[in-house]
Amino acid sequence: MADSHPPLADLRIIESSLLGPAALTTSFADLGAEVIKVESPAGDYIREMTWPIIEGVSLMHYHLNRGKKSIVLDLKTEEGKAVYKDLVKDADVVVETMRPGALAKLGLGFEDLREVNPEIVFINISGYGATGPYQRMPSHGIAYDTWSGAVTPAYDEEGFCYIPEHVSVGIAAAPFVGGLAMLAGVLRARETGVGCEMELGQSDAAAFFDWYRIESHMAYARPEDVVTGNKADNYKRRPVATAGMKAGVRYQLYESADGHVLFMASEQAFWKNFCAGVDRLDLFEKWPGSKYADHAPGNRELQAELRDIFKTRTSQEWLGFSAEQNTPIAPVNTSANIIEDPQFQARFRILPHEEHGADMLAFPVHFSGEELPTPSRAPTVGEHTEEVLKDVLGYPQSRIDALRNAGAIGPDGDGEQ
């Protein structure tokens, strides 16, 4: 049953955002926080950015701004600034997802806002952060993946360089790194009565998520008698991180009868279980391997044997074998077909397009005995302006009318997507 008091029900976030960095607060809204997205009269043009476009509105907007309220404020007007400060008085967090200092130029930076709320937590999330030689450079999401080394340039058949398909790291990593810091700031503010200011570059988050490769390179820069490879490899260094997987045999991708599976029997016990399960203990006797982390790198003879064995069963049959024989074998899905995977179907709740504009993955953490609230559809520009002014700030209708006449909240309270 749905819990009447979601985990973050008593958290209020005022968000001044443009484009992808709005992801910083999406999970907070999923967890029940009140996220009030302050938009200019023109609105956040995320609604028109990138593909797919669903009935005139981008999937990016539907996903990143779901569960939020939209209020229009013209922060170039004194009346609009006054309303913004009123919103901050009883808020926990202010999120600025644009170049650092944008709100400060309007007189709404951290130093200004802490005067009306000493406990406010202020976080800026930008492309490259508030310091360093790249801080003023304009950028988009993939820049943080190329900057961090997560993307390897590819070339087409005509020799032109292009961006290969890849997981978007920076724009996905930043919300989790920044969100953790936001909660830490709120916890401390509630304990001490003192807020804080923090900032994060999406590029920072991309590099932080790729720590294993980056730190492995740093480790390998040290002397070889200090930093070595695995015991199973006779301490010889392999290529860094997952690049060292290419030569693996007992830890490798194999073609099944109808697709592919990932074989991961690098521990000797798992390897023996596999060999016994396929009635090929001769393979174990010939190549028993080491106790741990032995991928049998470069053993083409064994790899040929395994290649032929894995082609004899379907992927699902190998997954059943994995559970029965206690040897690790995993499915190999794509972003297109993962929704058909039974484990995915058992774990993920889909927010349907009929209600949310697009089919989307719900927040993935499961709270025992509870159901998280279903987020509302991503708002139109200023959809909740009057609601926020009345219900959150307690403004009478006369003041709302005055704000509208002054041009501080746009011409009406219900904008367009």
Side-chain angles (χ1 to χ4, degrees):
M1 64 182 208
D3 193 277
S4 59
H5 192 80
L8 295 181
D10 61 345
L11 190 75
R12 178 177 291 164
I13 300 170
I14 309 304
E15 174 185 309
S16 293
S17 67
L18 283 174
L19 303 178
L24 182 62
T25 59
T26 304
S27 293
F28 284 77
D30 286 346
L31 289 166
E34 183 178 37
V35 181
I36 300 174
K37 181 181 175 74
V38 178
E39 303 192 61
S40 72
D44 182 354
Y45 66 96
I46 189 174
R47 295 172 176 87
E48 300 179 50
M49 283 294 287
T50 200
W51 55 88
I53 299 294
I54 304 167
E55 296 183 340
V57 181
S58 71
L59 171 61
M60 184 174 285
H61 172 63
Y62 280 133
H63 182 97
L64 299 185
N65 291 311
R66 70 191 189 201
K68 303 178 185 180
K69 297 175 181 176
S70 170
I71 176 174
V72 164
L73 289 179
D74 187 344
L75 298 181
K76 295 179 181 178
T77 66
E78 292 304 314
E79 295 88 347
K81 293 175 186 178
V83 175
Y84 197 92
K85 288 183 177 180
D86 283 347
L87 286 170
V88 172
K89 283 179 184 177
D90 293 316
D92 297 283
V93 182
V94 169
V95 173
E96 176 187 52
T97 77
M98 53 193 75
R99 294 187 195 182
L103 286 176
K105 290 179 181 178
L106 297 168
L108 298 171
F110 175 64
E111 295 300 331
D112 304 295
L113 298 178
R114 71 191 303 188
E115 293 180 5
V116 300
N117 183 350
E119 295 186 22
I120 198 67
V121 172
F122 188 105
I123 180 169
N124 172 275
I125 178 171
S126 61
Y128 295 108
T131 60
Y134 298 168
Q135 61 177 293
R136 297 294 177 189
M137 289 170 52
S139 57
H140 280 304
I142 292 176
Y144 321 126
D145 302 335
T146 60
W147 175 86
S148 67
V151 175
T152 301
Y155 290 84
D156 65 20
E157 60 278 1
E158 296 181 62
F160 290 100
C161 194
Y162 68 92
I163 302 166
E165 182 183 13
H166 67 282
V167 176
S168 295
V169 180
I171 62 173
F176 291 98
V177 176
L180 179 61
M182 281 169 56
L183 285 179
V186 170
L187 288 173
R188 186 175 65 178
R190 289 183 175 181
E191 180 180 356
T192 66
V194 180
C196 63
E197 182 180 20
M198 62 185 79
E199 58 93 6
L200 170 68
Q202 292 172 91
S203 55
D204 302 336
F208 187 73
F209 259 47
D210 200 19
W211 67 267
Y212 182 49
R213 291 198 302 175
I214 293 170
E215 292 177 19
S216 292
H217 277 292
M218 291 193 290
Y220 276 10
R222 301 179 64 191
E224 293 192 21
D225 61 338
V226 176
V227 181
T228 70
N230 291 337
K231 179 180 179 181
D233 294 336
N234 198 28
Y235 302 104
K236 181 181 178 181
R237 291 184 180 184
R238 283 201 213 177
V240 162
T242 50
M245 309 295 286
K246 182 177 181 180
V249 173
R250 278 193 285 262
Y251 201 130
Q252 192 54 269
L253 295 168
Y254 286 95
E255 186 178 347
S256 68
D258 62 350
H260 293 84
V261 292
L262 173 63
F263 184 46
M264 302 168 286
S266 55
E267 295 95 333
Q268 191 176 57
F270 286 146
W271 170 233
K272 186 174 184 179
N273 290 345
F274 174 82
C275 293
V278 295
D279 197 22
R280 290 296 304 274
L281 279 172
D282 59 300
L283 298 178
F284 180 79
E285 292 166 0
K286 187 172 184 179
W287 297 294
S290 299
K291 190 172 184 180
Y292 301 117
D294 191 341
H295 297 187
N299 188 337
R300 288 297 198 186
E301 184 180 355
L302 174 57
Q303 193 168 17
E305 292 275 8
L306 292 176
R307 178 185 59 192
D308 294 341
I309 290 171
F310 276 105
K311 286 182 179 178
T312 63
R313 307 188 193 197
T314 66
S315 294
Q316 282 300 314
E317 288 172 338
W318 281 120
L319 297 182
F321 175 94
S322 172
E324 294 167 4
Q325 302 297 328
N326 189 27
T327 190
I329 300 172
V332 177
N333 292 317
T334 68
S335 53
N337 70 18
I338 191 172
I339 59 174
E340 301 166 6
D341 186 287
Q343 179 70 12
F344 180 94
Q345 293 177 352
R347 298 286 296 174
F348 270 94
R349 181 165 66 110
I350 302 297
L351 304 176
H353 66 267
E354 291 88 353
E355 299 171 23
H356 300 275
D359 296 310
M360 295 181 287
L361 309 184
F363 191 76
V365 178
H366 300 260
F367 286 68
S368 297
E370 301 179 41
E371 283 187 18
L372 293 176
T374 299
S376 60
R377 185 183 180 119
T380 58
V381 181
E383 179 180 343
H384 305 94
T385 298
E386 290 212 9
E387 176 187 328
V388 170
L389 296 178
K390 288 179 181 178
D391 299 344
V392 176
L393 297 182
Y395 285 3
Q397 188 64 46
S398 59
R399 183 169 181 187
I400 296 173
D401 292 340
L403 287 169
R404 180 162 292 116
N405 291 334
I409 60 173
D412 56 53
D414 188 10
E416 299 179 355
Q417 286 278 17

